[in-house]
Amino acid sequence: MEMSVYNDIIDCIHAFNSRKCLPKLVETYPGIPVNTLGSILSQDYQKKMKKCHHQRYSTSSVEKYYQRYLQDVSAGKECVILSLADEIDLSPALTARIILEKHLSVTKHDGQSASRSQVTQMMRDTTLIEDPVLAAEVHYCVLDDDHYGPLVDCIKHSVGHEYEFKLKRKLDSLDLAYIGEEEMRARGYDKTPDIKMEVPIAVNGHVVNWIESKASFGDEHSHKGYEKDQFWSYWNRFGPGMVIYWFGYIKELDVNREKGIMLMDDFPANIVTMDPLQR
């Protein structure tokens, strides 16, 4: 995908100004896969939340939200936190976490914040929340949030494994020798791409010693982070390699092929394998 198309999609997302605008995006861009549009939407929404959520965590804001929650629940209203999240333009899961943290500090910790791990555990399993109304409210938020929260984390983890399996199945079908992350860790490697080729392959004239599978769209923000934290580390240890962004990527980011990091949106159809018996 060219940068101009990506920027147009981002402008469209901002114009819709809704975390549930995916159907509108699909209608607006019929030629772009839904997984690609969904990944772009989620990435943009998460960046938006990172920029604004600290403002929502101010002491005055938290107190205001909690009092609003108590008042609406007392009035017999339902989906209170979900409605509040939409009103303040914050992720439902993040809003639920704010209310839950405040509730625990008031009822269990004498004004002191509950531990992060305790709150996270309750977000993952709302049956651990003693207040049944709050438990239901948090549960609604987790289920409704398409971009944040424990349910989304589980889905992303599952999809990531699905595409890693797809990659391995393709390598197996081609009878290519490789090892995965678990075996690499067992051998003592500290930096582990998803696949390390035991025998290198060549793609479009470029040698590939390792493959990283990303079940997401490669936008500039995420790609630069991956380059810094992962890709160049793999390059330093194993030489040139290939990154597959299964949901597409911005073409202008593919600038390091000659240096040894090649971007693809699928496993390449034409590869060259080395014949160890040939001289």
Side-chain angles (χ1 to χ4, degrees), residues 94-272:
L94 287 175
T95 307
R97 189 179 184 101
I98 290 174
I99 300 298
L100 178 58
E101 288 176 347
K102 179 63 176 178
H103 175 80
L104 292 175
S105 71
V106 170
T107 61
K108 295 291 184 181
H109 298 275
D110 298 324
Q112 301 298 315
S113 298
S115 70
R116 184 177 181 84
S117 61
Q118 181 183 13
V119 176
T120 298
Q121 189 175 14
M122 290 183 175
M123 291 290 295
R124 291 174 177 168
D125 182 2
T126 56
T127 63
L128 298 175
I129 302 174
E130 295 181 3
D131 185 321
V133 175
L134 180 57
E137 287 279 337
V138 173
H139 185 65
Y140 295 150
C141 289
V142 170
L143 291 180
D144 191 76
D145 202 321
D146 297 326
H147 309 296
Y148 259 97
L151 180 60
V152 175
D153 291 340
C154 288
I155 293 173
K156 288 182 177 179
H157 189 70
S158 177
V159 172
H161 277 297
E162 176 186 345
Y163 278 87
E164 284 182 34
F165 178 74
K166 177 181 179 179
L167 173 59
K168 291 178 179 178
R169 186 169 54 188
K170 181 64 176 180
L171 295 173
D172 290 338
S173 70
L174 296 172
D175 291 326
L176 298 176
Y178 68 90
I179 58 175
E181 283 185 279
E182 291 185 3
E183 188 171 351
M184 291 182 70
R185 291 194 183 101
R187 295 186 184 185
Y189 290 105
D190 60 336
K191 293 290 185 178
T192 54
D194 293 314
I195 296 295
K196 178 182 177 297
M197 304 303 300
E198 292 283 70
V199 180
I201 60 175
V203 177
N204 299 327
H206 300 279
V207 175
V208 172
N209 291 299
W210 53 269
I211 306 173
E212 180 72 4
S213 171
K214 295 294 184 188
S216 62
F217 181 82
D219 70 344
E220 186 173 15
H221 177 76
S222 61
H223 179 69
K224 294 300 183 182
Y226 288 140
E227 275 191 330
K228 178 182 177 182
D229 298 333
Q230 297 179 351
F231 303 158
W232 288 119
S233 295
Y234 303 156
W235 181 87
N236 282 330
R237 287 162 176 78
F238 310 116
M242 176 172 67
V243 180
I244 302 178
Y245 284 110
W246 294 101
F247 300 160
Y249 62 91
I250 298 172
K251 289 184 178 180
E252 286 83 347
L253 298 176
D254 191 14
V255 296
N256 290 310
R257 289 197 171 205
E258 297 304 321
K259 294 181 180 179
I261 298 179
M262 175 171 46
L263 306 187
M264 303 289 289
D265 59 9
D266 202 345
F267 191 86
N270 298 317
I271 65 171
V272 176

